[in-house]
Amino acid sequence: MTVFKRRLKLAALERRLFKIRHDYQLLMLLILGSKTAPLNRSTLAKQIDCSEVSFRKYYNELASSGLIEIIPLATDKRKKIVQLTDLGRQALDVYEKEFNFILHKD
């Protein structure tokens, strides 16, 4: 299977599992999935490196879909931390298995 065909299969997998509209959303999920503790919202935004308006839109869509959880800090309600939900973690586990299958096929 060519790299192009593999990438198309991966794109279809990403859309099916996460119902994401943009690669920034997948990047957010992968970053959060690689962490054992919640991330500060501003730290995540810096790692994604997209505009603030786009970041907020993609971030809120992931929260609305139940893949991430946004938690206000008790000490400062304006600051928030972000973590994967159980649903988000399960989706990433399925993604990892199917990703490896697609990557190593043929």
Side-chain angles (χ1 to χ4, degrees), residues 38-84:
L39 266 184
N40 180 296
R41 181 190 176 284
S42 62
T43 300
L44 180 60
K46 287 177 188 168
Q47 289 184 3
I48 300 303
D49 193 30
C50 71
S51 75
E52 177 63 29
V53 172
S54 294
F55 175 81
R56 186 174 289 130
K57 181 173 102 177
Y58 300 141
Y59 168 87
N60 287 331
E61 285 176 3
L62 289 174
S64 294
S65 69
L67 295 171
I68 65 171
E69 181 178 18
I70 303 167
I71 306 163
L73 290 177
T75 56
D76 185 347
K77 298 290 183 192
R78 294 170 299 167
K79 295 186 179 182
K80 297 173 178 38
I81 56 173
V82 187
Q83 65 184 12
L84 286 176

Side-chain angles (χ1 to χ4, degrees), residues 1-2 6 9 98-106:
M1 182 182 306
T2 67
R6 282 188 179 122
K9 285 185 179 262
E98 292 191 35
F99 176 92
N100 286 325
F101 176 77
I102 291 168
L103 193 63
H104 297 102
K105 191 175 180 183
D106 293 329

